[in-house]
Amino acid sequence: MKQEKSFMPIIMAMMVVMSFVCSCKSEKNAPVVGTLTAYYAKEDFSVNDREYKKGKLICDSNDPLNHVSDEDESNFRYSGDDGGEEYSWLLPKSKVEKKVYTMNQLTPSDINGKACFVAENGCVARIFWSNSNGHKFYNWNGKDEKYRDEERYKECFVLSAEWLTSWDNSKILFEEQLNEKLGNIELYCENKYRQYDHLIGFLEEYWCNKEGWDYTKSAYEKDGKLLVDQWEVDGIPEYISIAYIAEKDALYINGTLYYKDTSRESK
Protein backbone atom coordinates (compact mmCIF):
# COMPACT_ATOMS: atom_id res chain seq x y z
CA MET A 1 0.00 0.00 0.00
CA LYS A 2 2.85 2.38 0.88
CA GLN A 3 4.48 1.70 -2.49
CA GLU A 4 1.22 2.42 -4.36
CA LYS A 5 0.79 5.70 -2.45
CA SER A 6 4.35 6.73 -3.30
CA PHE A 7 3.49 6.60 -7.00
CA MET A 8 0.33 8.69 -6.64
CA PRO A 9 2.03 12.12 -6.71
CA ILE A 10 3.96 11.07 -9.82
CA ILE A 11 0.81 9.82 -11.55
CA MET A 12 -1.10 12.98 -10.63
CA ALA A 13 1.75 15.15 -11.93
CA MET A 14 1.80 13.21 -15.22
CA MET A 15 -1.96 13.65 -15.60
CA VAL A 16 -1.64 17.40 -15.07
CA VAL A 17 1.16 17.60 -17.66
CA MET A 18 -0.82 15.54 -20.19
CA SER A 19 -3.87 17.70 -19.62
CA PHE A 20 -1.79 20.82 -20.19
CA VAL A 21 -0.24 19.39 -23.36
CA CYS A 22 -3.63 18.39 -24.76
CA SER A 23 -5.03 21.80 -23.93
CA CYS A 24 -2.13 23.53 -25.68
CA LYS A 25 -2.49 21.24 -28.68
CA SER A 26 -6.21 22.01 -28.93
CA GLU A 27 -5.57 25.75 -28.76
CA LYS A 28 -2.80 25.44 -31.36
CA ASN A 29 -5.05 23.51 -33.74
CA ALA A 30 -7.91 25.98 -33.44
CA PRO A 31 -6.63 29.46 -32.54
CA VAL A 32 -9.36 31.94 -31.68
CA VAL A 33 -10.03 34.71 -34.21
CA GLY A 34 -12.76 36.56 -32.34
CA THR A 35 -16.44 36.53 -31.48
CA LEU A 36 -19.30 36.20 -33.94
CA THR A 37 -22.66 37.64 -32.85
CA ALA A 38 -25.75 36.72 -34.87
CA TYR A 39 -29.33 37.99 -34.56
CA TYR A 40 -32.32 35.89 -35.64
CA ALA A 41 -36.06 36.54 -35.87
CA LYS A 42 -37.99 34.67 -33.16
CA GLU A 43 -41.21 35.15 -35.13
CA ASP A 44 -42.49 36.77 -38.32
CA PHE A 45 -42.57 40.55 -37.95
CA SER A 46 -42.16 43.78 -39.93
CA VAL A 47 -40.19 46.94 -39.17
CA ASN A 48 -39.68 49.96 -41.41
CA ASP A 49 -41.12 48.13 -44.43
CA ARG A 50 -38.74 45.22 -43.79
CA GLU A 51 -40.17 41.75 -43.26
CA TYR A 52 -38.36 39.28 -41.04
CA LYS A 53 -39.18 35.57 -41.12
CA LYS A 54 -39.07 33.28 -38.09
CA GLY A 55 -35.70 31.57 -37.69
CA LYS A 56 -33.99 33.65 -40.37
CA LEU A 57 -30.81 35.64 -39.84
CA ILE A 58 -31.37 39.39 -39.47
CA CYS A 59 -27.72 40.44 -39.26
CA ASP A 60 -24.40 39.26 -37.85
CA SER A 61 -21.09 40.86 -36.91
CA ASN A 62 -19.50 39.58 -40.16
CA ASP A 63 -21.74 41.92 -42.15
CA PRO A 64 -19.44 44.48 -43.82
CA LEU A 65 -22.10 47.20 -44.11
CA ASN A 66 -24.71 46.68 -41.40
CA HIS A 67 -24.60 46.48 -37.63
CA VAL A 68 -26.90 45.64 -34.71
CA SER A 69 -26.33 47.29 -31.32
CA ASP A 70 -28.11 47.69 -28.01
CA GLU A 71 -30.46 50.68 -27.97
CA ASP A 72 -32.23 50.27 -24.63
CA GLU A 73 -33.81 47.56 -22.46
CA SER A 74 -36.50 46.86 -25.06
CA ASN A 75 -34.80 47.40 -28.41
CA PHE A 76 -31.81 46.71 -30.60
CA ARG A 77 -30.82 49.23 -33.26
CA TYR A 78 -30.16 48.03 -36.81
CA SER A 79 -27.97 50.51 -38.69
CA GLY A 80 -25.88 50.72 -41.82
CA ASP A 81 -24.26 52.85 -44.48
CA ASP A 82 -24.72 51.94 -48.13
CA GLY A 83 -22.60 54.17 -50.35
CA GLY A 84 -22.86 57.15 -48.00
CA GLU A 85 -26.60 56.75 -47.38
CA GLU A 86 -27.07 56.05 -43.68
CA TYR A 87 -30.13 54.27 -42.30
CA SER A 88 -31.31 52.76 -39.02
CA TRP A 89 -34.37 51.43 -37.23
CA LEU A 90 -35.31 49.70 -34.00
CA LEU A 91 -35.80 45.95 -33.56
CA PRO A 92 -37.84 44.81 -30.55
CA LYS A 93 -35.69 42.52 -28.37
CA SER A 94 -38.74 40.38 -27.61
CA LYS A 95 -38.79 39.32 -31.28
CA VAL A 96 -35.04 38.84 -31.75
CA GLU A 97 -32.76 36.00 -30.63
CA LYS A 98 -29.08 36.80 -30.09
CA LYS A 99 -26.47 34.04 -30.42
CA VAL A 100 -22.72 34.35 -29.77
CA TYR A 101 -20.11 32.00 -31.27
CA THR A 102 -16.33 31.80 -31.00
CA MET A 103 -14.66 31.98 -34.42
CA ASN A 104 -11.57 29.81 -34.93
CA GLN A 105 -8.95 29.41 -37.61
CA LEU A 106 -9.39 26.50 -40.02
CA THR A 107 -6.21 24.65 -41.02
CA PRO A 108 -5.46 22.26 -43.91
CA SER A 109 -5.06 19.45 -41.35
CA ASP A 110 -8.68 20.08 -40.24
CA ILE A 111 -9.76 19.37 -43.82
CA ASN A 112 -7.27 16.56 -44.61
CA GLY A 113 -7.83 16.75 -48.36
CA LYS A 114 -11.58 17.16 -48.22
CA ALA A 115 -14.28 17.64 -45.62
CA CYS A 116 -18.06 17.71 -45.74
CA PHE A 117 -20.36 19.78 -43.52
CA VAL A 118 -24.16 19.32 -43.45
CA ALA A 119 -26.86 21.66 -42.13
CA GLU A 120 -30.17 20.59 -40.59
CA ASN A 121 -31.98 22.02 -43.62
CA GLY A 122 -30.11 19.55 -45.86
CA CYS A 123 -27.70 22.03 -47.43
CA VAL A 124 -24.14 20.76 -47.86
CA ALA A 125 -20.84 22.64 -47.70
CA ARG A 126 -17.63 21.02 -48.92
CA ILE A 127 -14.01 22.13 -48.67
CA PHE A 128 -11.63 20.13 -50.84
CA TRP A 129 -8.25 20.23 -52.59
CA SER A 130 -8.65 21.06 -56.28
CA ASN A 131 -6.58 21.28 -59.43
CA SER A 132 -7.26 23.34 -62.55
CA ASN A 133 -7.31 20.24 -64.79
CA GLY A 134 -6.02 22.23 -67.78
CA HIS A 135 -8.69 24.93 -67.48
CA LYS A 136 -7.80 28.61 -67.61
CA PHE A 137 -8.68 31.80 -65.74
CA TYR A 138 -9.80 34.76 -67.89
CA ASN A 139 -10.89 38.36 -67.46
CA TRP A 140 -14.59 39.32 -67.16
CA ASN A 141 -15.48 38.80 -70.84
CA GLY A 142 -13.45 35.62 -71.35
CA LYS A 143 -11.08 37.14 -73.92
CA ASP A 144 -7.78 37.55 -72.08
CA GLU A 145 -6.18 34.84 -69.99
CA LYS A 146 -5.41 36.17 -66.52
CA TYR A 147 -3.75 34.71 -63.45
CA ARG A 148 -3.29 36.51 -60.17
CA ASP A 149 -0.93 33.74 -59.19
CA GLU A 150 -0.51 30.98 -61.75
CA GLU A 151 0.81 28.37 -59.32
CA ARG A 152 -1.87 29.13 -56.73
CA TYR A 153 -4.74 28.48 -59.11
CA LYS A 154 -3.26 25.25 -60.43
CA GLU A 155 -3.91 23.67 -57.04
CA CYS A 156 -5.78 25.11 -54.06
CA PHE A 157 -8.60 24.52 -51.59
CA VAL A 158 -12.13 25.32 -52.75
CA LEU A 159 -15.33 26.01 -50.83
CA SER A 160 -18.50 24.64 -52.43
CA ALA A 161 -21.52 25.56 -50.32
CA GLU A 162 -25.28 25.36 -50.76
CA TRP A 163 -27.38 27.88 -48.86
CA LEU A 164 -31.02 28.96 -48.79
CA THR A 165 -31.99 32.53 -49.60
CA SER A 166 -33.89 34.48 -46.94
CA TRP A 167 -36.40 35.87 -49.44
CA ASP A 168 -37.82 32.73 -51.10
CA ASN A 169 -35.91 29.79 -49.53
CA SER A 170 -34.45 28.82 -52.90
CA LYS A 171 -31.09 27.06 -52.97
CA ILE A 172 -27.93 28.83 -54.14
CA LEU A 173 -24.55 27.24 -54.83
CA PHE A 174 -21.54 29.36 -53.87
CA GLU A 175 -18.09 28.20 -54.99
CA GLU A 176 -14.80 29.98 -54.57
CA GLN A 177 -11.09 29.22 -54.44
CA LEU A 178 -9.57 29.75 -50.98
CA ASN A 179 -6.29 31.44 -50.08
CA GLU A 180 -3.93 30.14 -47.41
CA LYS A 181 -1.85 32.28 -45.10
CA LEU A 182 0.49 31.36 -42.23
CA GLY A 183 -0.80 27.81 -42.18
CA ASN A 184 -4.49 28.75 -42.10
CA ILE A 185 -7.23 28.65 -44.73
CA GLU A 186 -8.28 32.28 -45.12
CA LEU A 187 -11.90 32.68 -44.05
CA TYR A 188 -11.32 36.00 -42.27
CA CYS A 189 -10.25 39.46 -43.36
CA GLU A 190 -10.31 43.11 -42.42
CA ASN A 191 -13.46 44.93 -43.46
CA LYS A 192 -12.63 46.98 -46.55
CA TYR A 193 -16.02 48.71 -46.55
CA ARG A 194 -16.12 50.07 -42.99
CA GLN A 195 -13.62 50.58 -40.20
CA TYR A 196 -14.16 47.69 -37.77
CA ASP A 197 -11.85 46.82 -34.88
CA HIS A 198 -12.16 43.10 -35.55
CA LEU A 199 -11.68 40.59 -38.35
CA ILE A 200 -14.81 39.42 -40.13
CA GLY A 201 -15.60 36.06 -41.71
CA PHE A 202 -16.31 37.21 -45.23
CA LEU A 203 -15.77 35.59 -48.63
CA GLU A 204 -16.40 37.33 -51.94
CA GLU A 205 -16.74 35.58 -55.27
CA TYR A 206 -13.76 36.62 -57.43
CA TRP A 207 -14.24 33.99 -60.15
CA CYS A 208 -17.36 32.65 -61.84
CA ASN A 209 -17.89 29.87 -64.36
CA LYS A 210 -17.69 30.42 -68.11
CA GLU A 211 -20.91 31.70 -69.68
CA GLY A 212 -23.45 28.96 -70.33
CA TRP A 213 -22.52 26.83 -67.31
CA ASP A 214 -25.45 25.65 -65.15
CA TYR A 215 -24.95 27.56 -61.89
CA THR A 216 -26.85 24.97 -59.87
CA LYS A 217 -24.14 22.44 -60.81
CA SER A 218 -20.70 22.29 -59.21
CA ALA A 219 -17.77 23.29 -61.41
CA TYR A 220 -15.69 20.48 -59.90
CA GLU A 221 -15.55 16.70 -60.17
CA LYS A 222 -15.76 14.67 -56.96
CA ASP A 223 -11.97 14.26 -57.09
CA GLY A 224 -11.50 18.06 -57.17
CA LYS A 225 -10.79 18.48 -60.89
CA LEU A 226 -12.08 21.73 -62.38
CA LEU A 227 -14.57 21.18 -65.22
CA VAL A 228 -14.94 24.64 -66.76
CA ASP A 229 -12.88 27.77 -67.46
CA GLN A 230 -13.18 30.58 -64.91
CA TRP A 231 -14.00 34.22 -65.64
CA GLU A 232 -13.37 37.18 -63.36
CA VAL A 233 -16.58 38.45 -61.78
CA ASP A 234 -18.02 41.52 -63.51
CA GLY A 235 -20.04 43.83 -61.30
CA ILE A 236 -21.18 43.22 -57.72
CA PRO A 237 -19.92 39.83 -56.51
CA GLU A 238 -21.80 37.29 -54.44
CA TYR A 239 -20.54 37.08 -50.88
CA ILE A 240 -21.18 35.04 -47.76
CA SER A 241 -20.71 35.35 -44.01
CA ILE A 242 -18.57 32.44 -42.84
CA ALA A 243 -16.69 31.16 -39.79
CA TYR A 244 -15.29 27.94 -38.40
CA ILE A 245 -16.74 27.11 -34.97
CA ALA A 246 -14.25 24.63 -33.50
CA GLU A 247 -16.35 23.95 -30.39
CA LYS A 248 -19.01 22.42 -32.63
CA ASP A 249 -16.66 21.33 -35.44
CA ALA A 250 -18.98 23.23 -37.75
CA LEU A 251 -18.97 25.89 -40.45
CA TYR A 252 -21.21 28.90 -39.94
CA ILE A 253 -22.55 30.17 -43.27
CA ASN A 254 -25.06 33.02 -43.48
CA GLY A 255 -26.51 32.25 -40.07
CA THR A 256 -26.69 28.46 -40.45
CA LEU A 257 -24.43 25.86 -38.82
CA TYR A 258 -23.10 23.07 -41.05
CA TYR A 259 -21.80 20.20 -38.93
CA LYS A 260 -18.89 18.04 -40.05
CA ASP A 261 -20.09 14.71 -41.46
CA THR A 262 -17.22 12.26 -41.83
CA SER A 263 -19.54 9.61 -43.36
CA ARG A 264 -19.78 11.73 -46.55
CA GLU A 265 -16.10 12.55 -46.95
CA SER A 266 -15.29 9.29 -48.75
CA LYS A 267 -18.12 9.74 -51.26
Side-chain angles (χ1 to χ4, degrees), residues 94-121:
S94 61
K95 298 182 179 182
V96 176
E97 181 180 11
K98 177 181 176 181
K99 294 183 180 181
V100 179
Y101 304 98
T102 298
M103 301 190 298
N104 301 91
Q105 293 285 9
L106 184 68
T107 68
S109 61
D110 294 322
I111 301 304
N112 195 26
K114 64 178 177 179
C116 185
F117 301 81
V118 183
E120 290 183 359
N121 61 18

Side-chain angles (χ1 to χ4, degrees), residues 101-168:
Y101 304 98
T102 298
M103 301 190 298
N104 301 91
Q105 293 285 9
L106 184 68
T107 68
S109 61
D110 294 322
I111 301 304
N112 195 26
K114 64 178 177 179
C116 185
F117 301 81
V118 183
E120 290 183 359
N121 61 18
C123 288
V124 176
R126 297 182 300 124
I127 297 179
F128 53 89
W129 189 249
S130 72
N131 69 76
S132 59
N133 193 29
H135 288 284
K136 304 296 183 181
F137 291 74
Y138 294 90
N139 69 341
W140 64 271
N141 61 10
K143 291 183 178 179
D144 300 316
E145 188 176 344
K146 183 174 182 179
Y147 283 96
R148 295 185 179 175
D149 181 337
E150 183 174 358
E151 291 304 315
R152 171 175 131 45
Y153 286 106
K154 283 184 178 179
E155 291 187 311
C156 63
F157 280 107
V158 167
L159 170 70
S160 176
E162 302 170 335
W163 57 278
L164 301 180
T165 65
S166 59
W167 49 93
D168 65 358

Side-chain angles (χ1 to χ4, degrees), residues 21-200:
V21 170
C22 290
S23 174
C24 290
K25 184 178 179 181
S26 176
E27 290 178 7
K28 182 179 179 182
N29 288 342
V32 173
V33 175
T35 298
L36 171 62
T37 306
Y39 301 85
Y40 302 84
K42 286 184 178 179
E43 59 187 74
D44 292 354
F45 70 99
S46 298
V47 175
N48 198 41
D49 296 328
R50 298 292 181 102
E51 292 189 0
Y52 299 104
K53 297 296 183 182
K54 182 178 178 179
K56 295 295 184 181
L57 180 69
I58 296 173
C59 185
D60 66 28
S61 53
N62 282 337
D63 193 314
L65 299 174
N66 304 298
H67 178 65
V68 174
S69 57
D70 273 316
E71 177 71 14
D72 52 42
E73 290 185 1
S74 302
N75 297 285
F76 292 114
R77 178 169 292 279
Y78 182 102
S79 57
D81 181 350
D82 186 5
E85 181 182 347
E86 296 184 359
Y87 46 84
S88 72
W89 54 82
L90 297 180
L91 299 170
K93 288 185 176 179
S94 61
K95 298 182 179 182
V96 176
E97 181 180 11
K98 177 181 176 181
K99 294 183 180 181
V100 179
Y101 304 98
T102 298
M103 301 190 298
N104 301 91
Q105 293 285 9
L106 184 68
T107 68
S109 61
D110 294 322
I111 301 304
N112 195 26
K114 64 178 177 179
C116 185
F117 301 81
V118 183
E120 290 183 359
N121 61 18
C123 288
V124 176
R126 297 182 300 124
I127 297 179
F128 53 89
W129 189 249
S130 72
N131 69 76
S132 59
N133 193 29
H135 288 284
K136 304 296 183 181
F137 291 74
Y138 294 90
N139 69 341
W140 64 271
N141 61 10
K143 291 183 178 179
D144 300 316
E145 188 176 344
K146 183 174 182 179
Y147 283 96
R148 295 185 179 175
D149 181 337
E150 183 174 358
E151 291 304 315
R152 171 175 131 45
Y153 286 106
K154 283 184 178 179
E155 291 187 311
C156 63
F157 280 107
V158 167
L159 170 70
S160 176
E162 302 170 335
W163 57 278
L164 301 180
T165 65
S166 59
W167 49 93
D168 65 358
N169 237 30
S170 61
K171 187 178 289 186
I172 288 179
L173 179 64
F174 178 95
E175 292 189 321
E176 184 62 22
Q177 295 83 2
L178 300 173
N179 289 313
E180 292 179 63
K181 185 177 181 181
L182 299 176
N184 297 311
I185 297 172
E186 283 197 282
L187 302 181
Y188 310 102
C189 62
E190 293 184 1
N191 187 359
K192 65 181 181 181
Y193 297 99
R194 295 182 67 181
Q195 192 67 39
Y196 279 7
D197 59 357
H198 60 268
L199 294 177
I200 59 174

